[in-house]
Amino acid sequence: MKLIASLTSPYARKVRIVLAEKKIDCPLQVDIPWETTSTVADFNPLGKVPVLIMDDGSTLYDSRVIVEYLENSSPVSRLLPQDSKRMLIETRRWEALADGICDAAACIVVEKRRPADKQSQEWIDRQQGKVDRGLQALSSMLGERQWCNGEAYSLADIATGCALGFLDFRFPQLDWRSPYPNLAALEERLAARPTFAETVPPAA
Ligand SMILES: N[C@@H](CCC(=O)N[C@@H](CS)C(=O)NCC(=O)O)C(=O)O
């Protein structure tokens, strides 16, 4: 098995953390899909990372499918609730929300890379609204609990931590910690885990 990923992708970071938590050895092939030398489209027609290349040459994408596959492949460090369908679906909803915040944040990054006269402020504001409402929802869903969904660390925490880390990486000026101290405390707990510490995006 081999993972094709960029070191800055929050979706790839989620998969890398899941691999490390579950102690699954998987070499990493770094590929930056925006570069002309990228070969990721040979493995994923959408041209996006992460992609998991299986031993038989078949491929898995996107990150949610890869995570599901990994969770089903190894009983080590269960990251999805096993005994409650309701908790399982709620964990997936956390993941959808966290990934959706990353989708909106990535749209802003891409838009701001366009020449200034081609950028749409309306589009940027629309995406920013998703980020802002997403953070508000994460915070109110977390409340005073230690972990996102239930009493145990799960994929919900991993996805949320990767989204918060991506905001810090791409928008260091965005102060989400002051309005949402419960998310700040969660992020601190997550940052202390080796799997998070080892996958922090490199300085741009
Ligand atoms: N839903 C996908 C999102 C993947 C994604 O958007 N990856 C970005 C990197 S952060 C990418 O490869 N973008 C290249 C492109 O959109 O062409 C997942 O969860 O894997």
Side-chain angles (χ1 to χ4, degrees), residues 6 9-11 14 33-34 46-50 62-64 99 103:
S6 76
S9 163
Y11 318 98
K14 184 178 60 172
W34 300 102
L46 302 174
K48 294 184 179 197
V49 290
D62 61 5
S63 66
R64 294 186 217 177
D99 284 6
D103 294 343

